[in-house]
DNA sequence: ATCATTTCATAAGGTAAACTCATGATCCCG
DNA sequence: CGGGATCATGAGTTTACCTTATGAAATGAT
């Protein structure tokens, strides 16, 4: 039968101190307990490990054989405990995160920069995927966490938490007048040069659907595949981009401003997605927290109703997340 | 806090089987117990190790980190148990044995040959020492066991067990007449060429003392330091050697015979010596047994009175030897 | 030498841990 | 949709672990 950890601790400490009493002090138990532990391990092995003379303990040859092995075992156990604790304290670990292309260019850089600063020891693997691939990536378990817009939140096997949402906006060059407007209507853009995402992209489909419901139609002068392209074109004066406001990375395009569009107002949600049956690793949990922080916690708190599922179903016992 | 062995066993087995029930079967406990063990280790680490879906258990990243470490720990514990069991079964181990020169040449080779055949995996270290160094060697702890003649058995810190004893004998060439004599008297050797050990050796002192007490005196023609020298000289016809009978290794000197000397009969004991406060290792215990066997167990049983100390003083509990 | 002190051994007893049993909840498969 | 399989959980019991109290032996100081 294999010895218990406690027996090995006693063995090693008694060997080191040459004394039950001192070993007991270090183990925070009575001397009797240590005496018992040593006897247990001896009876288990059917082998004398210490020759006793009521006063001194002298390790036998067998004991000397056992000590290095016992020390390795204990070191392993301590290493395991330390590593697990490192994972909890996010001083180690790894996580994989899938982000849709838009989020990858607009939101992710800020979040990731902050996260890396806070938790430099975590290896983060980013998959920047097409919006339609986001959910499959998470459900397949290839990514622990997904960030992006998700259409149908009706799948029971994923948790979806909306972390931010923004109106479809007109993005144009700050000219002292454009950025002053608090809102613009779709109709007021009739005569502008418009830059929109190409047909078939998520954003574009959402725009087309919403406008169609009000009998309108978007007639862009330019259609692009990448958000960054649209923004770059706008910055160069090629026209006004139609994008969710949060897609504008201010740091990258300081000359641009976003103004929400109304009539109809089109809201776009950005959500965190994870499998309902997985518990997020500490590293991923912190990623979520970092993301929420950067998106101002206040707003998220107000719209708790947007959250589709984010509380543990079991409540009988404090769960380990 | 470090995990217990039982928790690690559960962790590894659940990981391997992907099932509490199967792990429980292998651990010979109920499924509930395993469920509990896993929960304990999770609460201890504050970390999810398995994502549960009432039916399946899916290891988390942290679990995958932990498994190889846990396996190493368990392998170490098993290795330790196996090694200890090997020591008990004398399939491993080592022992150091001090023998006085006479024993080393006459008795030891037979015993050692048998011992090596029975326990080939034990490393035996032999110290062939001067007779006076035998006891110090054992008391100092440099040898676990001593074999030889010991003068004063009055020291309380060593156990001395006489394993054989033989009369001082005349050793001469078999000539069809010499070896037929069942005894010879010292007086009958008056006119023979005698070969004796040099003055100052243990054997010589014992002879001189005993003869002096009967008013006799040994007058050897040759005095030598080594027993083998005496025997070789006798074999070459240089005279009759005066030695304990057991000092004649028959295999080495087939032409020689030993005839006990009487009037006075001088008895020489050969004893096993070990420290009273040490318990012999299994390897050394077997060495003692082998020695006893080869010296015919019957004789030893008859003279149990010769044994000065060979039972454990404590008897409240079955002791581990 | 003698006695106080230190140290280990051991027995008894209580508390906490571990395990089992019984049962409930959920999922998978026919 | 029901039966079987699997995990979770609560109650209850058994086990084992630890402490307390005490004894025995040896050391060391007076």
């Amino acid at each position: 039968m294999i010895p218990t950890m406690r027996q090995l601790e006693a063995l090693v400490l008694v060997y080191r101190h040459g004394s039950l009493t001192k070993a007991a002090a270090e183990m925070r138990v009575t001397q009797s307990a240590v005496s018992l532990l040593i006897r247990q391990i001896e009876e288990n092995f059917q082998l004398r490990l210490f020759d006793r003379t009521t006063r001194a303990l002298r390790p036998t040859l067998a004991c000397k054989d056992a000590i290095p092995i016992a020390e390795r075992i204990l070191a392993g156990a301590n290493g395991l405990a330390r590593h697990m604790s490192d994972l909890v304290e996010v001083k180690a670990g790894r996580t994989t995160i899938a982000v849709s292309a838009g989020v990858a260019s607009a939101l992710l850089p800020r979040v990731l920069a902050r996260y890396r600063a806070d938790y430099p020891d975590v290896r983060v693997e980013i998959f920047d995927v097409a919006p339609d691939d986001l959910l499959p990536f998470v459900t397949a378990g290839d990514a622990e966490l997904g960030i992006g817009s998700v259409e149908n939140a009706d799948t029971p096997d994923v948790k979806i938490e909306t972390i931010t949402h923004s109106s479809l906006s007109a993005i144009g060059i700050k000219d002292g007048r454009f950025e002053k407007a608090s809102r613009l209507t779709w109709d007021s853009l009739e005569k502008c040069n418009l830059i929109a995402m190409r047909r078939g992209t998520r954003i574009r489909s959402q725009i087309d659907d919403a406008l169609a419901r009000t009998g309108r139609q978007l007639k862009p002068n330019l259609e692009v595949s990448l958000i960054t392209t649209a923004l770059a074109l706008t910055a160069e004066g090629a026209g006004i981009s139609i994008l969710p406001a949060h897609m504008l990375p201010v740091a990258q395009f300081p000359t641009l401003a976003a103004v929400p569009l109304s009539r109809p107002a089109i809201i776009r949600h950005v959500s965190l997605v994870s499998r309902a049956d997985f518990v997020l690793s500490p590293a991923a949990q912190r990623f979520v927290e970092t993301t929420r922080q950067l998106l101002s916690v206040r707003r998220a708190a107000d719209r708790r109703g947007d959250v589709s599922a984010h509380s543990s179903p079991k409540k009988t016992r404090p769960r380990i997340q």
Side-chain angles (χ1 to χ4, degrees), chain A:
Chain A
M1 199 58 59
I2 68 175
T4 68
M5 287 288 178
R6 206 113 186 92
Q7 287 168 358
L8 294 182
E9 286 181 296
L11 174 63
V12 168
L13 288 178
V14 168
Y15 177 84
R16 283 189 190 152
H17 290 119
S19 154
L20 293 188
T21 310
K22 294 203 190 101
E26 189 165 341
M27 290 181 75
R28 322 304 234 85
V29 293
T30 59
Q31 164 266 324
S32 304
V34 179
S35 175
L36 229 51
L37 284 169
I38 296 294
R39 195 158 67 205
Q40 280 169 13
I41 199 171
E42 285 185 329
E43 281 174 2
N44 178 20
F45 288 152
Q46 290 291 304
L47 206 57
R48 264 281 162 120
L49 293 175
F50 294 96
D51 282 310
R52 282 104 153 152
T53 60
T54 67
R55 191 149 194 83
L57 296 179
R58 189 181 159 282
T60 62
L61 288 176
C63 182
K64 285 176 186 159
D65 282 5
I67 288 298
I69 305 175
E71 281 175 337
R72 267 205 308 282
I73 292 170
L74 291 174
N78 278 308
L80 176 60
R82 193 159 352 99
H83 182 64
M84 295 293 106
S85 137
D86 281 353
L87 290 182
V88 171
E89 295 165 18
V90 207
K91 288 192 283 199
R94 59 186 182 281
T95 184
T96 56
I97 296 173
V99 292
S100 59
V103 171
S105 63
L107 177 61
L108 185 69
R110 266 191 304 158
V111 176
L112 202 53
R114 176 61 181 276
Y115 187 82
R116 303 214 90 119
D118 289 351
Y119 311 110
D121 303 320
V122 175
R123 295 213 321 266
V124 181
E125 194 166 358
I126 300 287
F127 291 101
D128 48 340
V129 301
D132 286 332
D133 289 339
L134 189 68
L135 209 52
F137 233 80
V138 172
T139 52
D142 295 329
E144 205 180 350
L145 197 62
I147 312 179
S149 299
V150 183
E151 299 262 280
N152 23 351
D154 54 356
T155 49
D157 50 340
V158 291
K159 289 185 290 193
I160 298 177
E161 175 188 353
T162 298
I163 50 170
T164 188
H165 60 301
S166 53
S167 307
L168 259 285
S169 300
I171 294 174
I173 299 174
K174 292 177 185 169
D175 58 0
R177 197 169 45 89
F178 175 79
E179 74 271 21
K180 290 292 193 310
S182 67
R183 351 207 86 232
L184 287 169
T185 62
W186 287 93
D187 293 339
S188 70
L189 295 178
E190 273 289 344
K191 46 217 162 288
C192 299
N193 282 341
L194 294 184
I195 304 168
M197 299 303 288
R198 198 174 303 285
R199 274 169 208 280
T201 64
R202 277 281 192 81
I203 295 177
R204 179 59 183 276
S205 304
Q206 197 183 0
I207 295 171
D208 286 347
D209 290 353
L211 288 186
R213 260 179 259 121
T214 63
R216 291 181 180 78
Q217 197 187 354
L218 187 66
K219 295 193 201 80
N221 299 72
L222 285 168
E223 296 191 351
V224 299
S225 297
L226 298 176
I227 291 155
T228 46
T229 309
L231 293 171
L233 288 170
T234 297
E236 294 302 318
I240 287 175
S241 286
I242 308 296
L243 287 172
H246 69 257
M247 292 280 184
L248 175 63
V250 183
Q252 250 177 293
F253 297 96
T255 64
L256 299 186
V259 177
L261 288 167
S262 56
R263 291 190 234 158
I266 303 174
I267 305 295
R268 206 172 152 74
H269 297 266
V270 175
S271 308
L272 293 172
V273 191
S274 60
R275 278 183 59 155
D277 54 353
F278 290 4
V279 173
L280 290 185
S281 68
Q285 285 176 43
R286 300 308 167 92
F287 199 95
V288 171
E289 289 165 15
T290 301
T291 308
R292 278 203 280 251
Q293 270 172 33
L294 286 182
L295 292 173
S296 91
V297 187
R298 264 169 290 105
R299 213 191 312 168
D302 292 344
R303 319 217 190 290
R304 188 54 51 88
D306 290 0
V307 176
S308 54
H310 73 326
S311 72
S312 170
K314 312 283 166 55
K315 31 193 69 134
T316 47
R317 185 185 294 271
R319 300 306 305 168
I320 288 155
Q321 294 297 325

